[in-house]
Amino acid sequence: MTSQELFERSKKIAPGGVHSPVRAFRSVGGTPIFFKKSQGAYLESVEGRRYIDFCQSFGPMLLGHRDADVAEKVHEVVDTAWCLGTCEPYSLELAEWVTSRLSWVEKLRFVSSGTEAVMSALRVARAATGRNKILKFDGCYHGHVDSMLVKAGSGLAGAAASDSLGVSETVAAETLIAALDSEESVASIFATHGREIAAVIIEPLPANFGLLVQRREFIERLVELAKKNGCLVIFDEVISGFRVALGGMAEVLNIRPDLVTYGKVLGGGLNVGAFGGRADLMDEVAPNGKVYQAGTLSANPIGMVAGLATLQKIEKVNAYFKLEEIGKSFAEKLNQLFFKLDAPFKVDRFGSIFWIRAWTDGAIRKISDIPQDHAQNFKKLFHACLNEGIYMAPSGYEVGFLSLAHGADVADESLKKFEHALKNYGQA
Ligand SMILES: Cc1ncc(COP(=O)(O)O)c(C=O)c1O
């Protein structure tokens, strides 16, 4: 079966033929490739073609696909207990591992996705403060939680409107939206709504609308204003947590959020998310407190051991040091190539996360900084790369991920492919 044939079949029984929208190639056009195998930095399609993978399942695979040490632990638990729905030692080990290293995670609860983690953290914040409004940022994504599927509305400072059918205007009205990189925007919303806001939620390294690296002073000012107004700070580290440092951006910035959400790397490629933070806040959660939260598959043993094996290996091999080396060299060389071939791109990078962005002089820190023609240019680059055997996330607004498996050989191979792709793309 070819990808085309499988996609035709899939379209008959799944919306758009996919189980998560960006996989459908709508932003770049064409038929999605169906992959059947993965190993390290590579994917293999159903047609038997090999691709260098810079999507890495949208972030979880920090060690690369199917790391042997993680696989061993997964196989062990498959042989003993893969779904218990009871108290068990696997989640305890992972929870202790995390809380013993990340001082701001005094208590945590495992869930099965980043979306669930965010939804639950917001509920805790509302319960703990007795307030209803949440402040989020234009350009940050927090999963498909109703109150987070909003866009900037017109009229009142920060007012939001629903950004998906099925999200009621009443729910959307509880969310306020500020601009990234703008102390003024945040200050003006706090001046109007300060005492109604339960929490401000931010991706401290926004990586869902390109990579919009924020100034440290901006985040510090945001935290200061939140504290002054008695509102909680939630760091959504579903992407950045355990990816840019063990403690994510909280560690990088040396800021203690009140609550934090994790996913992706924490589960080493299995369905794991978590929310956690201050013990007094987490004690609001059932059965201790009155914030209801539950999950049939929460803390599933397979996810727990995959997560623990991943984190243990990260620590053992000094992963962040290596990933920084891999990322720095790769981004520098790719930038040189873009420059040499006069391509309209540039690479922004933070550790092992990179973004092939539009070529502009200045930094890109918010959506309005992104040139309009970027999506169109990326589309051409995407298909030229795909032809060469490079798989990237199929949208110019998605970031790329490097793993420990993207060593020098893979980097050299991919740079050659990028060079061919750029020549075919017509920029040489
Ligand atoms: C910052 C952030 N928060 C939340 C989510 C939602 O996570 P999930 O897709 O596991 O529900 C994502 C997903 O990409 C994310 O990037």
Side-chain angles (χ1 to χ4, degrees), residues 113-116 118 141-144 203 208 236 238-239 264:
S113 69
T115 297
E116 261 187 275
V118 168
Y141 174 68
H142 302 291
H144 61 99
E203 285 182 81
N208 275 292
D236 181 352
V238 167
I239 287 188
K264 306 215 187 231

Side-chain angles (χ1 to χ4, degrees), residues 220-357:
E220 282 171 350
R221 178 73 179 137
L222 168 68
V223 171
E224 185 187 313
L225 279 167
K227 298 222 178 295
K228 217 162 122 187
N229 285 275
C231 120
L232 301 176
V233 173
I234 305 174
F235 274 5
D236 181 352
E237 301 236 41
V238 167
I239 287 188
S240 50
F242 310 102
R243 161 71 57 186
V244 296
L246 214 52
M249 289 303 285
E251 178 184 319
V252 171
L253 296 165
N254 194 22
I255 292 177
R256 277 181 86 86
D258 298 297
L259 290 167
V260 63
T261 56
Y262 297 116
K264 306 215 187 231
V265 176
L266 176 63
L270 281 111
N271 312 33
V272 178
F275 64 104
R278 277 169 39 195
D280 62 315
L281 297 174
M282 291 304 291
D283 279 334
E284 300 269 354
V285 178
N288 273 7
K290 291 188 175 161
V291 176
Y292 195 69
Q293 190 284 327
T296 302
L297 298 179
S298 295
N300 176 278
I302 303 176
M304 296 294 103
V305 299
L308 185 60
T310 299
L311 299 182
Q312 284 172 332
K313 183 150 184 182
I314 285 174
E315 199 168 61
K316 190 168 138 209
V317 304
N318 202 2
Y320 303 110
F321 179 77
K322 289 189 181 147
L323 286 168
E324 177 60 28
E325 279 188 337
I326 291 173
K328 187 166 184 283
S329 155
F330 174 72
E332 272 173 14
K333 288 180 184 157
L334 192 51
N335 265 331
Q336 283 161 9
L337 199 60
F338 287 150
F339 185 76
K340 184 175 98 179
L341 299 180
D342 200 20
F345 304 107
K346 194 160 151 177
V347 183
D348 277 354
R349 178 187 71 90
F350 199 103
S352 56
I353 306 177
F354 68 96
W355 180 36
I356 298 184
R357 53 165 270 194

Side-chain angles (χ1 to χ4, degrees), residues 147-197:
S147 66
M148 297 289 99
L149 287 181
V150 294
K151 60 184 175 205
S154 53
L156 295 174
S162 52
D163 197 22
S164 162
L165 285 182
V167 172
S168 79
E169 290 301 330
T170 321
V171 168
E174 297 293 10
T175 307
L176 299 163
I177 301 196
L180 284 168
D181 191 41
S182 168
E183 282 88 338
E184 298 74 39
S185 162
V186 176
S188 113
I189 292 173
F190 271 114
T192 319
H193 298 285
R195 301 282 149 190
E196 300 162 78
I197 302 175

